[in-house]
Amino acid sequence: LNPYVTDLWIGLGFSSMHLHELEEAQNYFEAAIAMDTLNPRGYYFASLCSKMRKDTQKATNYCEIGLGLGNTEWDSSFANLKQALGG
């Protein structure tokens, strides 16, 4: 396993999130963001995990950063999540 591969951290975060280990999942998603600041998936799942942890401010921040990346493939996902956050 290569710890410098963003997908590794996203996969670990996704698995932890499904096990309801939300703090651990958040750490993995944040590691993924640190590895690749232009990858929208890290921001999307960090936002979703923050929402599950009831940290609306952090979830909204990640969502806004993700929208700001200009990745049209993910824009609708971020927009839907932001709407669910009340924004």
Side-chain angles (χ1 to χ4, degrees):
L1 295 173
N2 185 342
Y4 298 103
V5 175
T6 305
D7 289 340
L8 169 71
W9 298 107
I10 291 173
L12 288 170
F14 197 67
S15 296
S16 295
M17 197 166 66
H18 280 302
L19 293 171
H20 301 283
E21 296 170 355
L22 300 178
E23 187 173 339
E24 187 174 327
Q26 189 76 39
N27 291 335
Y28 288 136
F29 293 133
E30 289 173 0
I33 291 168
M35 290 291 132
D36 185 357
T37 59
L38 299 177
N39 186 332
R41 291 181 303 136
Y43 294 103
Y44 179 80
F45 289 116
S47 180
L48 186 61
C49 188
S50 295
K51 179 181 181 289
M52 292 173 71
R53 295 177 69 207
K54 310 274 191 249
D55 188 342
T56 305
Q57 183 62 48
K58 192 176 230 183
T60 301
N61 289 343
Y62 281 128
C63 208
E64 288 174 355
I65 294 169
L67 277 168
L69 294 176
N71 185 314
T72 56
E73 184 179 329
W74 280 86
D75 281 351
S76 64
S77 296
F78 280 114
N80 290 337
L81 183 53
K82 189 170 181 180
Q83 185 177 8
L85 291 166

